[in-house]
Amino acid sequence: DVDHFKRINDMYGHDAGDEVLKEFAMRVRSTVRGADLACRYGGEEFVVVMPDTGADVAALIAERLRSIIESKPFVLKSAGVALEITASMGIATAGRGIDTPEQLLKQADQALYQAKRDGRNRVVAAAA
């Protein structure tokens, strides 16, 4: 989830928000592995499905992505500015008590909201 995305749209317009989403997607794509599925889930939320990946590896990849998002400003050509963008991420892994994709997404979403409550710009793993 792109932190404070509404503020970008409100200050610079939806064209600028679209630029941020496109660059964000490119950074996601550059970070995930070939076997992973990365997609926009809605608004400023993205989902990465990582088959046969344990929580420890998923956390490392998520942290690497979070760092890549934070480390380089997003240059908005339409507004002529460079923005510092951060992202909050929630991780969930299939396992005991997780029988459906919907349950897995719900766990990841709960971890995401915990990341936001804890101050944003962080990765939080759902309780196992």
Side-chain angles (χ1 to χ4, degrees):
D1 189 83
V2 179
D3 291 334
H4 304 293
F5 184 73
K6 184 178 181 326
R7 188 181 311 162
I8 296 165
N9 277 338
D10 290 348
M11 289 181 70
Y12 302 102
H14 291 277
D15 288 347
D18 288 346
E19 285 183 68
V20 168
L21 291 175
K22 288 174 186 173
E23 176 63 24
F24 192 93
M26 288 185 57
R27 293 185 194 191
V28 169
R29 197 173 317 130
S30 76
T31 305
V32 300
R33 305 164 303 176
D36 300 334
L37 170 67
C39 57
R40 185 171 169 200
Y41 189 59
E44 71 281 6
E45 289 187 326
F46 291 77
V47 171
V48 178
V49 178
M50 307 172 88
D52 301 318
T53 304
D56 53 343
V57 173
L60 286 172
I61 294 170
E63 181 56 35
R64 184 171 62 217
L65 174 59
R66 189 208 58 76
S67 179
I68 287 169
I69 298 298
E70 176 185 43
S71 67
K72 183 179 174 192
F74 284 59
V75 177
L76 303 180
K77 293 174 183 78
S78 65
V81 298
L83 299 177
E84 303 293 328
I85 302 288
T86 61
S88 298
M89 300 181 196
I91 298 172
T93 54
R96 210 182 340 199
I98 306 292
D99 299 318
T100 66
E102 292 80 14
Q103 290 172 322
L104 188 62
L105 280 171
K106 183 174 182 163
Q107 289 287 315
D109 208 36
Q110 289 172 346
L112 167 66
Y113 284 113
Q114 186 63 51
K116 289 188 171 289
R117 282 191 299 274
D118 290 349
R120 301 177 192 265
N121 192 28
R122 65 192 66 233
V123 176
V124 172

